[in-house]
Amino acid sequence: MSDANPVLAEWAGPHGAAPAFDLVRTEHFIPALEAAMAEKRADIAAIADNPEPPTFANTLEALEASGPRLTRAGRIFNVYASTMNTPAMREVETWASPRMAALRDEITQNRRLFDRIAQVYETRETSGLTPEQQRLAYVVYDRFVRQGAALGADDKAALAEVNQKLAALYTKFSQNVLADEEGEALVIETPADLEGLDQDQIDAAAAEAKARGLEGKWAFANTRSAMEPFLTFAANRDLREKAFKLFTRRGDGGAHDNLPLITEIMSLRAQKARLLGHPTFAHWIADGQMAKTPDAAMKLLTDVWGPARARVAEEVAEMAELSAAEGSNAPIAPWDYRYWGEKVRKAKYDLDETEVKPYLQLDRMLEGMFWAAGRLFDLKFELVTDLPTCHPDVRVFEVTKGGARVGVWYFDPYARAGKRSGAWMSEYRTQQRLGGAAVTPIISNNENFIPPKPGEPCLISWTDAVTLFHEFGHGLHGLNSNVTYPSLAGTAVLRDFVELPSQLFEHWLPTRELLGKFATHYRTGEPMPDALVDKLLRAETFHQGFKTVEYLSNAILDLKAHLKGDTPLDAAQFEASALEEIGMPPQIVLRHRLPHFLHMFSSEGYAAGYYNYIWADTLSADAAEAFAEAPDGFYDTALAERLLASVLSIGNTVEPGEAYRRFRGRDAGIDALMRDRGFAPALE
């Protein structure tokens, strides 16, 4: 097939070239992926069958450069599967996922290829390789071994079958969740039932209803971006309960039931772990991370669990006292926590979310992020309009440093049909210098904010702003990458290290310097008053009990489920019994119930590794204290330069623990994490 297919074509255009999104159609994907996979197979065969003795250049560098059209096609495919997932695209995804999994297994299980990789690996320290080349030899060899390259033929065949089944199940699980998010909504017909909601929420619900053919009504989509604000502000308790149950039952029964898929996924993962020589899937995952063992990960989770539960008890007592004072005798239920929590915050800190939100204009927050990145890393972001995008909502910025292009940053801010929920960073193109030519990265940040009315600014909540900065931290990790080999570049680091830059960058949002410049009222243009900034900073650890328990419970259940090994998992029964076993407060449910726990069941990215967030947060809290103690605080350029040199620019060219020690001068402990969450005395 020729490169006339835009999914296969060389990227062209200004700003270092980019995908031709304006030409891509769903029907391009299957023929493009077929052709690209064939090319990849041919490239792999050429490396494996090379009659010359294996060298770094003819084996590892050749492997890095193999299948360029599949790399391009795969990146575009991932953009459409995650943000433009129409019914037709779902058919493509269902076709592609098992085939791409099969190709990955073919490559991993190619014995001739692995033998060449092993020879380069075994001589890495004596063959004149640079430190980065030695690291690549280790990383590639380790990846192949972990994926079964050293297994016998029968076990390889069994593993390939398991992987293809899992790929199909992951796709089905994700599509079921998306179907329940798109197909269901909370519909309100009476204006009185909107009490407590602000005008932006009401207008967005009216627009959602109109889009669903329900003119004159209000609809709240079954997504986090719509439901969490409703649960926070809606005064009608019965409707909050209805909304809560609708949202938490995604994937749980009905036409899109994920419960049987979970049982099958867990069984297959147990088989996979056994084939790879590990007692459980959790052991296999942890072995390839900083944690090394599931016991080490579980210890961190349980060390924080007790203080977090104790804080929840305090928070519930505060809410119960306030609700009783306002005439409510009902015990605090899960659908009450956000509502009464917001009221307590207002009473305790004189801080009202509706008072803060007018100062948090999305565009001004973007300017604030860019300003911080400029202060810290000398980056400049400039909006460009001459690159195509996959959707009109997407904006594109060229990123430069000292006048030289660093990369391109795409921003996809709004929720829409066919776009997966949540927020994430992805790479359209990875930074590299393979073959001597410098290739700059193309990075995408994706959010799911509710679109504003035409002509109005998008106002976001404080939580949304934190998420915005978090994902931009991942973006900065990708943009600042400065390595040679794509397999080591940017965010291609261990999963329990990858959240360090993102969680660290959250700490720049509440700095007075940034809020004073960019938190401006959308009507008056006035900066956020110092008194309101003071309230925000005083309330920084507010409801950390809820936030931490909501997260930790998921991380603990993720590990516990995978540690069951061959024991068949009934997801509903396990969820209930495991929550009882750990003493889950009855006022809180899992942040992601198992039937829609995409981190755990849509791929292996965070499976048995949802603990990664708090593992990395031990690092990010400790790193934030380094900035807090620096001469110029969070804008200390010398410390920012050390962060850039030690963490952000080096990808996986250095072992993560060593990288962190280069930045901080020592390992991180748990004390800073506890202080950051208000579970211990604050830093003096």
Side-chain angles (χ1 to χ4, degrees):
M1 180 171 210
S2 76
D3 280 6
N5 185 317
V7 175
L8 289 175
E10 286 275 2
W11 295 357
H15 316 294
F21 287 119
D22 54 331
L23 302 178
V24 172
R25 302 292 180 268
T26 305
E27 58 268 23
H28 291 138
F29 281 104
I30 290 178
L33 290 171
E34 283 184 317
M37 286 189 284
E39 176 191 75
K40 179 76 170 184
R41 285 188 174 93
D43 287 353
I44 295 299
I47 299 168
D49 298 336
N50 188 340
E52 297 296 323
T55 65
F56 183 87
N58 70 20
T59 302
L60 291 185
E61 281 193 338
L63 184 61
E64 288 287 281
S66 65
R69 295 204 302 175
L70 182 59
T71 300
R72 292 196 299 270
R75 296 294 174 87
I76 297 174
F77 168 76
N78 288 336
V79 172
Y80 277 73
S82 59
T83 71
M84 303 289 288
N85 205 324
T86 62
M89 192 63 207
R90 288 169 207 174
E91 292 180 11
V92 173
E93 192 180 17
T94 299
W95 176 90
S97 294
R99 287 168 173 81
M100 293 175 80
L103 176 58
R104 288 192 293 271
D105 282 330
E106 283 179 38
I107 295 169
T108 301
Q109 297 180 8
N110 186 316
R111 187 72 208 192
R112 299 184 306 282
L113 175 65
F114 178 63
D115 286 344
R116 295 179 68 87
I117 292 169
Q119 289 182 58
V120 176
Y121 166 76
E122 288 161 3
T123 60
R124 68 193 184 284
E125 295 178 355
T126 58
S127 54
L129 301 184
T130 67
E132 184 177 343
Q133 290 171 334
Q134 290 184 43
R135 179 68 178 174
L136 181 67
Y138 164 76
V139 167
V140 173
Y141 175 79
D142 182 66
R143 183 177 75 227
F144 270 66
V145 171
R146 283 183 50 76
Q147 295 294 341
L151 296 178
D154 290 346
D155 284 345
K156 281 182 177 178
L159 181 61
E161 184 179 359
V162 166
N163 283 337
Q164 289 177 56
K165 288 179 179 178
L166 282 171
L169 289 167
Y170 295 155
T171 296
K172 182 62 175 174
F173 186 96
S174 301
Q175 291 181 350
N176 279 346
V177 175
L178 184 60
D180 274 357
E181 290 180 345
E182 289 185 355
E184 299 177 341
L186 176 71
V187 179
I188 292 177
E189 301 183 10
T190 306
D193 288 335
L194 300 170
E195 181 186 352
L197 305 180
D198 65 28
Q199 194 59 47
D200 286 342
Q201 290 174 279
I202 294 170
D203 291 344
E208 180 70 25
K210 184 176 180 181
R212 292 173 179 264
L214 301 170
E215 189 92 36
K217 299 179 182 179
W218 297 268
F220 295 84
N222 198 22
T223 62
R224 189 172 299 279
S225 59
M227 286 300 191
E228 283 195 352
F230 184 88
L231 291 167
T232 302
F233 297 107
N236 187 315
R237 187 171 191 258
D238 290 341
L239 283 176
R240 289 203 309 272
E241 180 179 3
K242 185 176 180 181
F244 179 87
K245 290 180 176 178
L246 185 68
F247 183 62
T248 57
R249 287 176 179 166
R250 289 168 296 149
D252 188 356
H256 307 117
D257 189 6
N258 274 334
L259 293 175
L261 301 188
I262 291 173
T263 301
E264 192 172 356
I265 287 170
M266 294 300 288
S267 175
L268 288 167
R269 284 179 176 169
Q271 292 179 46
K272 179 170 183 171
R274 271 201 323 278
L275 287 166
L276 292 169
H278 293 271
T280 72
F281 189 83
H283 287 83
W284 178 65
I285 290 291
D287 181 59
Q289 305 295 334
M290 292 181 74
K292 299 304 180 189
T293 69
D295 287 348
M298 188 67 84
K299 182 180 186 304
L300 174 61
L301 299 177
T302 53
D303 282 350
V304 184
W305 179 251
R309 283 185 68 237
R311 177 58 58 83
V312 165
E314 297 170 4
E315 292 171 1
V316 170
E318 288 179 328
M319 290 188 290
E321 182 179 357
L322 183 59
S323 66
E326 294 195 10
S328 173
N329 296 318
I332 302 298
W335 45 90
D336 299 320
Y337 211 111
R338 289 180 174 85
Y339 178 77
W340 285 109
E342 178 63 22
K343 284 183 172 290
V344 168
R345 182 167 71 155
K346 186 173 182 179
K348 189 173 183 178
Y349 298 98
D350 191 26
L351 182 62
D352 186 342
E353 174 70 33
T354 59
E355 183 184 6
V356 176
K357 195 172 180 180
Y359 292 94
L360 301 179
Q361 302 174 66
L362 176 58
D363 285 349
R364 293 291 283 155
M365 289 295 99
L366 287 185
E367 292 175 25
M369 295 191 321
F370 298 161
W371 174 81
R375 285 280 302 269
L376 295 166
F377 311 118
D378 196 29
L379 298 179
K380 180 180 179 182
F381 291 73
E382 183 177 355
L383 181 69
V384 297
T385 56
D386 50 355
L387 287 178
T389 61
C390 66
H391 191 277
D393 287 346
V394 180
R395 286 177 265 176
V396 187
F397 296 79
E398 184 170 50
V399 188
T400 57
K401 184 172 185 174
R405 184 177 61 254
V406 169
V408 175
W409 185 71
Y410 285 64
F411 182 55
D412 188 355
Y414 301 127
R416 61 176 175 268
K419 185 178 180 182
R420 86 179 196 218
S421 61
W424 67 96
M425 168 268 199
S426 58
E427 291 181 336
Y428 295 176
R429 185 174 66 205
T430 302
Q431 179 273 329
Q432 59 169 292
R433 291 191 297 273
L434 193 61
V439 175
T440 53
I442 301 177
I443 303 299
S444 172
N445 279 164
N446 306 269
E447 308 284 347
N448 265 285
F449 303 137
I450 301 299
K453 289 193 300 184
E456 294 287 332
C458 177
L459 303 179
I460 62 177
S461 69
W462 182 256
T463 300
D464 287 338
V466 171
T467 301
L468 185 71
F469 274 66
H470 175 102
E471 296 304 333
F472 191 62
H474 284 307
L476 290 174
H477 198 180
L479 287 167
N480 279 303
S481 179
N482 184 23
V483 306
T484 301
Y485 301 104
S487 288
L488 301 178
T491 58
V493 298
L494 299 188
R495 186 66 79 169
D496 46 10
F497 190 73
V498 76
E499 297 296 337
L500 165 60
S502 58
Q503 292 177 175
L504 177 59
F505 198 71
E506 293 175 17
H507 291 268
W508 271 267
L509 171 62
T511 58
R512 290 183 182 275
E513 295 93 329
L514 191 143
L515 290 177
K517 288 179 178 290
F518 300 101
T520 57
H521 197 282
Y522 78 105
R523 291 195 186 279
T524 67
E526 292 295 314
M528 183 181 288
D530 289 342
L532 184 53
V533 174
D534 290 341
K535 292 177 190 178
L536 268 173
L537 297 181
R538 284 199 304 270
E540 270 290 271
T541 59
F542 179 67
H543 267 205
Q544 273 297 341
F546 170 78
K547 295 172 187 175
T548 306
V549 162
E550 186 190 44
Y551 158 76
L552 282 179
S553 53
N554 260 125
I556 292 170
L557 263 63
D558 174 36
L559 269 182
K560 280 182 171 290
H562 284 102
L563 285 168
K564 289 174 71 67
D566 289 325
T567 305
L569 187 83
D570 180 317
Q573 184 277 329
F574 168 78
E575 182 177 294
S577 62
L579 289 175
E580 182 179 2
E581 179 184 319
I582 65 174
M584 183 73 162
Q587 301 86 3
I588 304 179
V589 300
L590 294 162
R591 178 168 179 79
H592 310 284
R593 288 196 54 242
L594 298 188
H596 53 256
F597 194 1
L598 292 169
H599 285 78
M600 188 172 174
F601 296 116
S602 67
S603 72
E604 291 176 4
Y606 284 89
Y610 196 59
Y611 76 87
N612 293 165
Y613 287 97
I614 200 161
W615 187 279
D617 211 14
T618 62
L619 304 176
S620 65
D622 187 62
E625 285 195 352
F627 277 97
E629 296 165 343
D632 292 322
F634 279 90
Y635 297 92
D636 190 279
T637 53
L639 190 57
E641 180 60 35
R642 193 157 85 230
L643 178 70
L644 178 64
S646 303
V647 176
L648 294 181
S649 67
I650 65 171
N652 194 18
T653 61
V654 176
E655 188 275 325
E658 174 60 25
Y660 189 78
R661 285 187 290 274
R662 290 182 185 181
F663 167 69
R664 194 66 164 108
R666 56 165 174 75
D667 290 323
I670 195 175
D671 292 348
L673 173 72
M674 301 297 276
R675 284 190 289 269
D676 184 58
R677 297 186 179 224
F679 298 160
L683 182 68
E684 294 296 329

